[in-house]
Amino acid sequence: MKMIIGENIVKSFSAGNETHPVLGGVSLKINEGEFISIMGPSGSGKTTLMYAVSGMDSIDSGTVLFDGRNLSALSEKELSDIRRTKMGFVFQQPTLLKNLNILDNIILPAMRDNKKNAAKTMEKARALMKKVGISELEKRDITEVSGGQLQRAGICRAVMSQPKIIFGDEPTGALNSTSAQKIMDILSDINTEGTAVMLVTHDAKVAARTERIMFMCDGSIVSELRFKKFNGTGMEDRIKAITAKMREIGI
Amino acid sequence: MYYRIIRNDMLKSKLITMTTMIFVAVAAMLVSLSAILVVNLSGSINMLMDQAKTPHFMQMHSGAIDTRRLADFAEQNSLVDEFQVLEFLNVDGAQIVINGNSLADSVQDNGFTTQSEKFDYLLDLDGNVITVFDGEIYIPVSYMKDGTGKVGDTISINGKKLTVAGFLRDSQMNSLLASSKRFLVSENDYAAIKDSGSTEYLIEFRLKNMSEISTFETAYTSAGLEANGPTITYPLFKMLNAISDGLMIAVLLLVSTLIVAITFMCIHFTLLAKIEDDYREIGVMKAIGLQASDLKKIYLVKYAVIAAAGCMLGFALSFVFRGLLLENIRLYMGESEHASFAFVFGIVGILIVFLAMIAYVNHVLKRFRKISAAHAIRFGTSQGKAAGAKHFRLSRNRLLTTNTFLGVKDVLARKSLYATMLAVLIISTFIIIVPQNLYNTISSKSFITYMGIGSSDMRIDIQQTSHISEKAAEIVKVMERDSSISKYAVLTTKTFNAKAADGTEQGIKIELGDHSVLPVQYSEGRAPVAEDEIALSTMNADDLGIKVGDVMTLVIDGKEKDFTVRGVYSDVTNGGKTAKAVFSDDSADIMWSVIYAKLSDPSLAEAKTSEYADRFHFAKVSHIDEYVAQTFGSTISSVGKASDTSIAVALMIAGLVILLFMKMLVAKDSYSIAVMKSVGFTDSDIAMQYISRSVFVLMAGMVLGTLLANTLGEVLAGAVISSFGASSFQFVDHPLSMYPLLLMIGTVLIATMLGTWGAGQIKIAANMKE
């Protein structure tokens, strides 16, 4: 089932009098439960595409349908509601609020809607924290834990509402390889449970864990690669295939 | 290079630069205006009193007078330079008709006099001694101001018609607080109207050396000369002249101090925010060996430019407004003798504001030295985390909505940032409440009890007439039968001699009667009840060096008698030197009697006043509200104006500062706002969070401001009030004082909403890419 259908998405940024086209009419479809990644050189429009299909940024023309609803036609409030209930976001830098401790950051969006079920929310948050291995950190301030731990807390926050899709913008970009490995394991688990995941990445090792890789260049999707769902084996081959593809399209 | 950096910096933060400059300008303007006013007021008073040659010592006297004896005394006393006795023809207000309106409602003792020959001249509005011709009359300048009369009007005194030729300044009786007003007529006209009223004498002395007034006063009293009336000395004349405008200056100075304080806080906040923004850069500069003082210099120069521009603007503005504020002084007292000094003082005031600004910026910038290069580069922010907020957790919050929680949490976590806003709100609340309470208090009816006037609805004065006690008894008889009068008290004033500690005797006016019926406010102790008890006015108590509980000796009918002082009260009537006792006496002459009456239905006061006035022509009957309005009217209205102005100023300051603050906060918080939005918080959620911050700080500010107003503010207001004679003082609570605070809540909410408007515009995409 198609969850996201993007048609002919155009987006440009203007600096002073000049406008720089970033997305030149991109179309894509994402299925429910799919695990996909976008690769491409810096400035190719990967992140912009992700912001466009998640409704985080407006687009100049084209349409993005999420669950059958045209995101451009929705009000700011409706977009917020969708972000809070159906989408989760994980960024390169963990985007947690400085004022709140780890637990409070994780439960923040859930508490906005559902203060009555605070106990349930807390229970769920603790279960998630245990799952990603940060349960002993719940009372820590965000300046008191490592980057990898913060990223895991960010993922907990993103999956609290049981979203249909998690968007990840280089979620492992600022982490060492062990931490990155751990994050990818968590994202894979989440995907196995039925949540779609869309990642933007430079890292072939990260992309190799996904089942479909889109390659972008100068604002367009130039190629695509499909794998089976990752089951812990065949990593080397998948990486080889990705690097070959990249060489082929000249990235 | 400095020029470019500073210019770019200012262009980037136009709004903040402008606001800071405006605050400096307003502060500079007010300080400079106060300085100019002080110089002008004191200069004008001195000039007026010099030109008019105001007496150094004056004894008012009614009744028989022995001019020879007085002249001999003056001749023999080596302190006396000049001496004269002026006549003051006291005419009942009803007999004086200006353009068809009588002065019957006036509580002033209106009277007529001729131009003096030696000193105590009545001056025209150009400061010249008036020469008055037959058929002409000059009227007091205060009647010009309130529109009672104008040049060309006809005044009829008991049928004799005179034409108003101009207005006069009276260095003794200009002020509304002086209870008499002198009209100037020619010798011939004076003789013609002489039978229309009773003559009072102004026995006046100018001394060779003004510092010896009190020695002379004692000499005069102990000589047992004419003393049936109040005694007034040069310093009291001066004070009477200064009160109304002096109050205005005090308010201006207070407001300018507060605005300087607010300007400091804005600078504090802007600088801290700026340092925070540049934190990493400052760290890098330090790390590569540059000196923080270079950076410091840039900021210092920037603020010097803002301060200089603001000060110049303020000085220019003070020229625009000085005319307006000097109007009253010019009208009542004329030009100042050192008007050119005023200019210099204005500049000095502005320089002080400028230097204070620079010193303050310099002080704030000391933080540069404390920044650790390593820490700055690693974290990019200062780690000012408040310990108290750590335990305030969302996971434990059950009470507040999540948005409110986040708002409150932010305030608690960044206390030092919100301290500025809190301080501004405390000050705004303070400057709303204090002048307003002061106004409500002095305009409230009970306030007169602080001023030595019993709480009542009607006041009947019987003076300058014969058979005072019989006349008082006549009124009392009517009052007894009058069911609408619930309480009354007859107070009869007589003069006795009091023995001071050194054995010398001093005349003291004592009000005899029952003082417990319609009591005044005692600043210490209570009203005298027993025959051997007495209460003194603050001025008398200070003069005689007597405290509550002390014993003082009076000479009554040649015999000494001891009295215990039971109470001390404030008094502004009769020169402030009075006493109260209950003993009965037949030996001394009655100077005057006052009957205070309280009505069962106060709304009848007006009707009763005219009823008694019609019935008893010999007495002056006044509705107490009117009495208060005419005595303190101009003071009350200047305080009222000041209070309205301070409400407007406070609201404007609160609105502006909050608006700015919120704008800066949104800019500073753009990352957090983007994070919130990315996890699904709506614009209205975020607006709610900011409103919660504002409301939280606002509540704290209003509570603290109100507390401060009722403690420090009361003391301050008390100081203002005691400057005109009342010694103990408490605010009267008034339901109206809530409205300006509601206005303030509204202003803060609107400012918050306007200031956080930009939060909706923050793009997640643009702010998440670090």
Side-chain angles (χ1 to χ4, degrees):
Chain A
M1 237 201 98
K2 300 276 178 283
M3 175 169 53
I4 294 175
I5 303 170
E7 293 278 3
N8 217 3
I9 303 166
V10 175
K11 172 83 183 172
S12 48
F13 289 114
S14 47
N17 294 329
E18 291 173 56
T19 49
H20 300 280
V22 184
L23 297 178
V26 179
S27 299
L28 83 166
K29 295 186 174 82
I30 302 170
N31 294 320
E32 284 192 357
E34 205 176 2
F35 196 174
I36 68 167
S37 57
I38 304 172
M39 293 194 77
S42 293
S44 59
K46 309 182 294 285
T47 302
T48 307
L49 179 63
M50 198 181 84
Y51 281 132
V53 298
S54 62
M56 290 248 266
D57 208 353
S58 59
I59 54 177
D60 299 345
S61 67
T63 51
V64 177
L65 297 182
F66 182 88
D67 259 359
R69 299 168 81 188
N70 183 352
L71 291 184
S72 310
L74 297 181
S75 71
E76 182 270 335
K77 191 186 170 304
E78 289 168 314
L79 281 173
S80 294
D81 289 344
I82 289 182
R83 278 202 288 274
R84 202 169 56 252
T85 55
K86 300 202 165 135
M87 297 175 178
F89 293 88
V90 182
F91 301 89
Q92 180 171 10
Q93 300 289 340
T95 57
L96 300 182
L97 297 179
K98 258 204 291 185
N99 280 338
L100 303 177
N101 67 19
I102 299 287
L103 177 64
D104 282 0
N105 260 297
I106 292 172
I107 61 174
L108 178 67
M111 289 294 268
R112 181 205 174 270
D113 284 334
N114 204 354
K115 262 202 59 201
K116 268 181 254 156
N117 286 333
K120 237 182 191 165
T121 305
M122 230 81 78
E123 198 182 301
K124 191 170 174 190
R126 292 206 169 101
L128 281 170
M129 288 169 81
K130 193 168 176 194
K131 198 163 156 191
V132 302
I134 53 170
S135 31
E136 73 284 8
L137 305 178
E138 65 167 69
K139 284 177 187 163
R140 298 273 189 92
D141 275 341
I142 65 164
T143 47
E144 297 166 349
V145 298
S146 76
Q149 289 166 328
L150 277 187
Q151 198 60 293
R152 281 184 259 169
I155 293 173
C156 288
R157 181 181 67 187
V159 297
M160 274 295 285
S161 59
Q162 286 170 314
K164 301 188 82 161
I165 182 166
I166 301 258
F167 294 98
D169 185 5
E170 305 264 13
T172 59
L175 303 176
N176 63 37
S177 58
T178 322
S179 292
Q181 192 79 41
K182 176 83 188 155
I183 296 294
M184 285 315 294
D185 288 346
I186 295 168
L187 288 174
S188 292
D189 287 350
I190 292 167
N191 179 246
T192 315
E193 284 160 22
T195 304
V197 177
M198 177 186 186
L199 300 179
V200 165
T201 184
H202 280 105
D203 189 346
K205 266 188 263 170
V206 169
R209 304 279 293 253
T210 65
E211 52 189 310
R212 179 154 65 107
I213 303 158
M214 286 175 268
F215 295 92
M216 282 193 80
C217 205
D218 294 333
S220 325
I221 296 174
V222 289
S223 185
E224 212 180 86
L225 202 61
R226 281 174 191 270
F227 297 121
K228 284 208 204 88
K229 273 222 191 278
F230 183 65
N231 57 8
T233 57
M235 189 66 178
E236 306 260 302
D237 296 341
R238 292 167 88 132
I239 292 173
K240 252 182 226 158
I242 294 167
T243 36
K245 190 79 180 177
M246 284 168 79
R247 225 173 292 128
E248 178 194 322
I249 53 179
I251 305 176
Chain B
M1 186 187 75
Y2 278 179
Y3 170 74
R4 290 251 309 269
I5 294 176
I6 291 164
R7 196 194 55 185
N8 287 340
D9 193 46
M10 282 184 180
L11 284 177
K12 253 199 293 180
S13 51
K14 268 178 257 160
L15 186 67
I16 287 150
T17 309
M18 276 300 288
T19 316
T20 313
M21 201 177 82
I22 289 170
F23 275 127
V24 177
V26 172
M29 177 185 83
L30 290 175
V31 169
S32 135
L33 275 178
S34 316
I36 290 170
L37 282 177
V38 168
V39 175
N40 270 299
L41 179 63
S42 74
S44 293
I45 291 176
N46 285 339
M47 184 98 151
L48 173 70
M49 293 179 81
D50 280 352
Q51 283 173 337
K53 295 183 87 176
T54 308
H56 294 153
F57 175 88
M58 181 181 82
Q59 172 68 55
M60 291 173 92
H61 176 76
S62 53
I65 186 166
D66 186 344
T67 330
R68 272 297 291 274
R69 192 168 57 138
L70 283 164
D72 287 347
F73 168 78
E75 192 120 325
Q76 277 153 27
N77 191 309
S78 60
L79 300 171
V80 177
D81 183 29
E82 280 179 298
F83 154 77
Q84 69 182 4
V85 176
L86 291 183
E87 282 187 20
F88 177 69
L89 180 67
N90 204 327
V91 176
D92 188 274
Q95 308 284 350
I96 307 170
V97 181
I98 304 180
N99 249 7
N101 303 315
S102 87
L103 292 181
D105 287 336
S106 171
V107 290
Q108 303 282 350
D109 290 327
N110 294 295
F112 300 85
T113 186
T114 55
Q115 185 62 277
S116 156
E117 278 164 21
K118 294 188 195 157
F119 60 95
D120 189 16
Y121 301 120
L122 298 175
L123 307 173
D124 66 14
L125 296 186
D126 296 322
N128 302 315
V129 177
I130 300 173
T131 315
V132 60
F133 298 102
D134 290 349
E136 282 182 357
I137 185 167
Y138 282 77
I139 66 176
V141 69
S142 55
Y143 288 138
M144 167 181 168
K145 192 149 185 242
D146 64 16
T148 307
K150 53 185 190 302
V151 173
D153 282 355
T154 304
I155 296 191
S156 137
I157 303 118
N158 209 5
K160 166 92 183 164
K161 285 193 163 44
L162 298 171
T163 309
V164 176
F167 299 94
L168 63 86
R169 291 198 186 113
D170 182 338
S171 65
Q172 286 187 18
M173 302 175 185
N174 247 351
S175 164
L176 280 174
L177 290 169
S179 60
S180 303
K181 290 284 166 283
R182 291 195 280 189
F183 290 66
L184 179 64
V185 295
S186 71
E187 303 272 352
N188 292 332
D189 291 333
Y190 186 83
I193 58 173
K194 193 153 182 187
D195 294 331
S196 314
S198 56
T199 307
E200 206 175 321
Y201 299 95
L202 309 181
I203 302 160
E204 303 181 329
F205 297 89
R206 274 182 73 90
L207 307 180
K208 289 179 184 131
N209 187 350
M210 218 173 42
S211 60
E212 291 183 288
I213 288 178
S214 57
T215 324
F216 178 77
E217 199 174 348
T218 320
Y220 184 89
T221 316
S222 50
L225 296 166
E226 281 75 358
N228 186 14
T231 313
I232 303 168
T233 55
Y234 197 85
L236 189 61
F237 284 135
K238 205 167 188 174
M239 203 184 86
L240 283 173
N241 279 325
I243 280 176
S244 288
D245 293 292
L247 269 183
M248 183 168 80
I249 293 170
V251 170
L252 274 181
L253 270 178
L254 186 72
V255 173
S256 48
T257 316
L258 291 175
I259 289 185
V260 170
I262 288 172
T263 315
F264 280 0
M265 281 180 288
C266 286
I267 292 173
H268 180 85
F269 175 72
T270 336
L271 266 179
L272 284 195
K274 185 84 187 132
I275 291 175
E276 198 128 299
D277 287 350
D278 295 351
Y279 210 75
R280 202 186 292 267
E281 250 169 76
I282 296 167
V284 171
M285 285 185 78
K286 278 198 161 182
I288 60 173
L290 288 178
Q291 282 192 338
S293 62
D294 293 334
L295 257 173
K296 194 173 151 182
K297 230 178 273 166
I298 292 174
Y299 288 116
L300 205 55
V301 172
K302 178 185 156 189
Y303 279 93
V305 171
I306 294 178
C311 283
M312 280 192 274
L313 184 65
F315 193 55
L317 282 176
S318 74
F319 273 90
V320 179
F321 290 108
R322 63 196 288 181
L324 200 70
L325 295 174
L326 283 173
E327 188 188 0
N328 201 46
I329 298 178
R330 286 207 176 112
L331 177 63
Y332 276 82
M333 283 161 265
E335 286 299 333
S336 163
E337 58 181 344
H338 17 250
S340 53
F341 264 164
F343 187 76
V344 177
F345 270 77
I347 290 180
V348 169
I350 279 181
L351 271 180
I352 290 172
V353 173
F354 179 79
L355 292 176
M357 288 261 313
I358 301 301
Y360 186 74
V361 172
N362 197 31
H363 169 76
V364 175
L365 288 175
K366 280 202 183 129
R367 271 168 200 257
F368 272 134
R369 255 188 270 150
K370 291 193 210 136
I371 293 174
S372 131
H375 185 267
I377 293 169
R378 236 184 111 197
F379 298 104
T381 54
S382 64
Q383 251 170 327
K385 237 180 174 283
K390 227 183 144 165
H391 300 286
F392 189 59
R393 290 193 197 121
L394 183 60
S395 45
R396 286 196 198 152
N397 165 53
R398 296 286 177 275
L399 207 60
L400 305 170
T401 68
T402 300
N403 286 326
T404 312
F405 170 86
L406 289 172
V408 174
K409 170 91 183 177
D410 191 66
V411 174
L412 294 176
R414 298 196 283 180
K415 285 194 198 84
S416 64
L417 196 62
Y418 289 92
T420 311
M421 183 173 160
L422 179 69
V424 168
L425 288 172
I426 290 175
I427 292 176
S428 300
T429 310
F430 187 84
I431 52 183
I432 283 177
I433 293 182
V434 174
Q436 217 212 355
N437 276 1
L438 179 62
Y439 173 71
N440 285 335
T441 305
I442 64 173
S443 60
S444 85
K445 221 168 149 185
S446 60
F447 181 65
I448 55 169
T449 62
Y450 285 110
M451 309 302 274
I453 303 161
S455 153
S456 58
D457 295 309
M458 187 164 78
R459 172 184 163 121
I460 303 178
D461 286 81
I462 314 166
Q463 55 184 319
Q464 278 125 16
T465 172
S466 50
H467 309 294
I468 289 179
S469 58
E470 287 84 348
K471 284 173 177 161
E474 199 183 323
I475 296 177
V476 164
K477 226 160 134 195
V478 175
M479 281 189 166
E480 267 197 335
R481 267 178 281 142
D482 191 335
S483 60
S484 61
I485 287 178
S486 64
K487 279 191 232 172
Y488 64 86
V490 185
L491 303 175
T492 303
T493 300
K494 297 181 174 190
T495 308
F496 297 95
N497 276 337
K499 266 193 113 130
D502 56 3
T504 58
E505 286 184 10
Q506 194 176 336
I508 179 170
K509 287 183 210 66
I510 303 181
E511 237 180 339
L512 300 173
D514 188 344
H515 297 286
S516 58
V517 184
L518 296 166
V520 299
Q521 198 77 35
Y522 286 84
S523 55
E524 246 184 288
R526 56 164 173 81
V529 181
E531 288 267 314
D532 62 346
E533 291 178 347
I534 192 167
L536 294 177
S537 71
T538 318
M539 270 184 158
N540 256 337
D542 289 348
D543 243 35
L544 297 165
I546 288 174
K547 295 188 300 293
V548 171
D550 288 355
V551 171
M552 68 179 286
T553 309
L554 292 181
V555 183
I556 300 166
D557 205 9
K559 285 180 287 234
E560 289 188 7
K561 196 166 179 256
D562 283 350
F563 287 84
T564 312
V565 177
R566 283 294 172 213
V568 170
Y569 57 93
S570 311
D571 198 352
V572 290
T573 61
N574 301 305
K577 290 189 174 182
T578 58
K580 295 179 193 294
V582 293
F583 65 87
S584 46
D585 167 82
D586 298 318
S587 62
D589 286 336
I590 295 176
M591 296 176 74
W592 64 76
S593 277
V594 179
I595 303 173
Y596 290 106
K598 197 158 185 81
L599 303 176
S600 42
D601 178 5
S603 63
L604 292 175
E606 207 132 328
K608 278 285 151 198
T609 306
S610 43
E611 182 191 324
Y612 277 79
D614 283 345
R615 187 149 180 184
F616 304 105
H617 285 289
F618 54 82
K620 190 164 77 179
V621 185
S622 8
H623 179 188
I624 207 83
D625 288 351
E626 220 166 279
Y627 181 84
V628 172
Q630 290 195 27
T631 316
F632 307 117
S634 98
T635 308
I636 290 176
S637 89
S638 1
V639 175
K641 252 186 247 164
S643 148
D644 288 348
T645 314
S646 38
I647 290 175
V649 168
L651 290 181
M652 216 176 69
I653 291 174
L656 246 172
V657 171
I658 305 284
L659 177 68
L660 260 188
F661 188 86
M662 284 298 155
K663 266 186 135 34
M664 287 182 60
L665 215 50
V666 166
K668 227 170 135 58
D669 288 352
S670 51
Y671 175 73
S672 307
I673 293 171
V675 171
M676 295 267 193
K677 284 190 169 188
S678 78
V679 298
F681 279 79
T682 61
D683 286 356
S684 49
D685 286 331
I686 288 159
M688 221 26 240
Q689 292 170 16
Y690 278 88
I691 288 174
S692 304
R693 298 180 190 188
S694 268
V695 169
F696 183 55
V697 181
L698 176 68
M699 291 304 154
M702 293 212 307
V703 168
L704 291 174
T706 310
L707 280 178
L708 204 65
N710 283 313
T711 49
L712 178 69
E714 199 166 71
V715 173
L716 272 178
V720 170
I721 290 197
S722 69
S723 73
F724 51 108
S727 58
S728 76
F729 166 77
Q730 259 182 327
F731 277 145
V732 175
D733 280 327
H734 205 282
L736 252 180
S737 57
M738 281 315 293
Y739 292 111
L741 290 183
L742 288 179
L743 274 179
M744 175 137 132
I745 296 175
T747 308
V748 169
L749 285 182
I750 291 170
T752 306
M753 285 188 233
L754 287 177
T756 54
W757 197 259
Q761 263 62 59
I762 287 177
K763 291 268 177 291
I764 306 169
N767 284 285
M768 295 295 266
K769 294 179 201 158
E770 282 268 84

